[in-house]
Amino acid sequence: LFATGEAKGTLHEWLKHNISRPTSVSADVEGADTTFTDLTQPSRVNNITQIIKQPVRVSRTERRVNVAAMGDPWAFQKADNLRQLKMKMEYAVLNAAKASGASGSARQMDGIDAFITSNNTARNSGTSYSEAELNASVSDVWTVVDPDKVFDMVLCTFKIKQAIAGFSGISTRYIDATERRLVKDVLVYDSSGGSHKIFAHKDVRDSAGSTTVYGLREDLWKVAYRDKPMFEELAKTGDADKGHWVTEFTIESLEERASFKRTGYNQNG
């Protein structure tokens, strides 16, 4: 869903710049000299690149046996484990928390959950997800960003999506998602702050007392790669062929205030 870029170091940095809206009427005297104020410099934001591997190993015997409907087990396992790698990446993008990787431990990025701090609300455990809850999130975000930067997608559990689909009025509708190769229906909620696509995602936290809903502005998140997913064959040891899929990447949050996180909802919506 997100745009991609390049990470040139294990500590990846980018710039964030906010423009404040005026809070009073501006007017200047005809013919007067221009007065200057100190300019606001962009601030630096950083994240750490994270390495994720997915191993592949197939024995000599397995490669030579005629396995029904599989073809070459090596090719099958490579394709299957690439899907596993991508699922690991998705989980990290959403749920990872930063770790420096000192003393031989693995480096770990901050994921979406860790980045969202401005519009982070803990609801009472077991709160039902209602139309008022979604509109309150829209209001929270609209207050702190430009109107055209309010979140345009909602990530939630399957049960929460079912609850949103049942909202009354004309705000809930279905459209064709033509940006995908396979055309499918996408649930869209129209609020006073814009349109919001609703996606159920298996990696969204779904446990008693901490079921979470996220609102994200798609063009304000980016995945930065040191290395895009690639396959490397490893030296042969023992009686098997070995290799791994490997990638190193991180996520950029260009403006976390355009997103929201709310936790504590009832698991059934």
Side-chain angles (χ1 to χ4, degrees):
L1 293 174
F2 301 147
T4 60
E6 182 182 4
K8 296 185 177 181
T10 56
L11 180 64
H12 178 59
E13 294 186 309
W14 62 96
L15 297 178
K16 183 175 74 172
H17 182 56
N18 296 318
I19 300 176
S20 299
R21 292 187 64 83
T23 56
S24 60
V25 176
S26 299
D28 293 282
V29 177
E30 180 179 339
D33 288 341
T34 299
T35 57
F36 293 88
T37 58
D38 291 338
L39 299 178
T40 302
Q41 295 298 320
S43 58
R44 288 182 178 272
V45 187
N46 67 66
N47 206 354
I48 293 174
T49 60
Q50 181 170 333
I51 299 170
I52 299 180
K53 296 179 181 179
Q54 181 65 27
V56 180
R57 181 175 63 181
V58 178
S59 71
R60 173 189 54 82
T61 300
E62 187 176 1
R63 293 200 68 175
R64 295 183 63 83
V65 169
N66 184 15
V67 181
M70 181 183 291
D72 181 6
W74 180 249
F76 174 86
Q77 292 296 339
K78 281 178 64 176
D80 185 65
N81 281 278
L82 177 57
R83 289 190 289 269
Q84 291 287 333
L85 178 80
K86 290 181 176 179
M87 286 189 285
K88 286 183 176 181
M89 292 171 66
E90 280 191 31
Y91 192 90
V93 163
L94 187 59
N95 294 298
K98 188 181 288 185
S100 64
S103 303
S105 59
R107 292 190 306 274
Q108 196 162 293
M109 72 177 98
D110 264 342
I112 289 170
D113 184 81
F115 262 114
I116 301 175
T117 57
S118 296
N119 299 302
N120 179 7
T121 305
R123 306 294 286 131
N124 293 331
S125 180
T127 298
S128 296
Y129 197 75
S130 64
E131 198 162 0
E133 289 287 326
L134 181 52
N135 282 314
S137 300
V138 175
S139 178
D140 289 345
V141 174
W142 193 93
T143 301
V144 294
V145 299
D146 284 343
D148 61 344
K149 294 300 181 183
V150 174
F151 65 91
D152 56 5
M153 61 183 293
V154 172
L155 286 185
C156 58
T157 65
F158 181 76
K159 290 289 188 179
I160 296 289
K161 183 178 178 180
Q162 284 185 314
I164 295 173
F167 288 171
S168 60
I170 61 171
S171 294
T172 306
R173 59 189 173 87
Y174 289 87
I175 62 170
D176 286 335
T178 56
E179 68 270 19
R180 300 290 185 268
R181 288 179 179 270
L182 296 176
V183 176
K184 61 179 181 181
D185 287 333
V186 173
L187 182 64
V188 175
Y189 181 81
D190 289 325
S191 74
S192 298
S195 293
H196 320 281
K197 292 178 287 186
I198 314 298
F199 294 102
H201 199 289
K202 286 183 174 291
D203 297 333
V204 172
R205 192 179 297 112
D206 185 17
S207 57
S210 60
T211 298
T212 303
V213 177
Y214 300 94
L216 308 175
R217 180 74 194 187
E218 190 172 342
D219 60 358
L220 294 179
W221 297 89
K222 182 184 290 186
V223 175
Y225 286 100
R226 284 274 288 167
D227 284 300
K228 291 187 176 182
M230 59 183 177
F231 187 78
E232 296 176 330
E233 292 195 19
L234 303 177
K236 187 177 178 66
T237 58
D239 192 20
D241 292 317
K242 301 173 184 177
H244 65 212
W245 288 101
V246 61
T247 185
E248 184 172 356
F249 70 108
T250 191
I251 189 169
E252 296 180 17
S253 172
L254 303 178
E255 179 47 273
E256 59 86 19
R257 296 185 307 166
S259 300
F260 80 84
K261 175 176 70 173
R262 286 193 166 212
T263 63
Y265 291 111
N266 188 309
Q267 286 181 280
N268 292 318

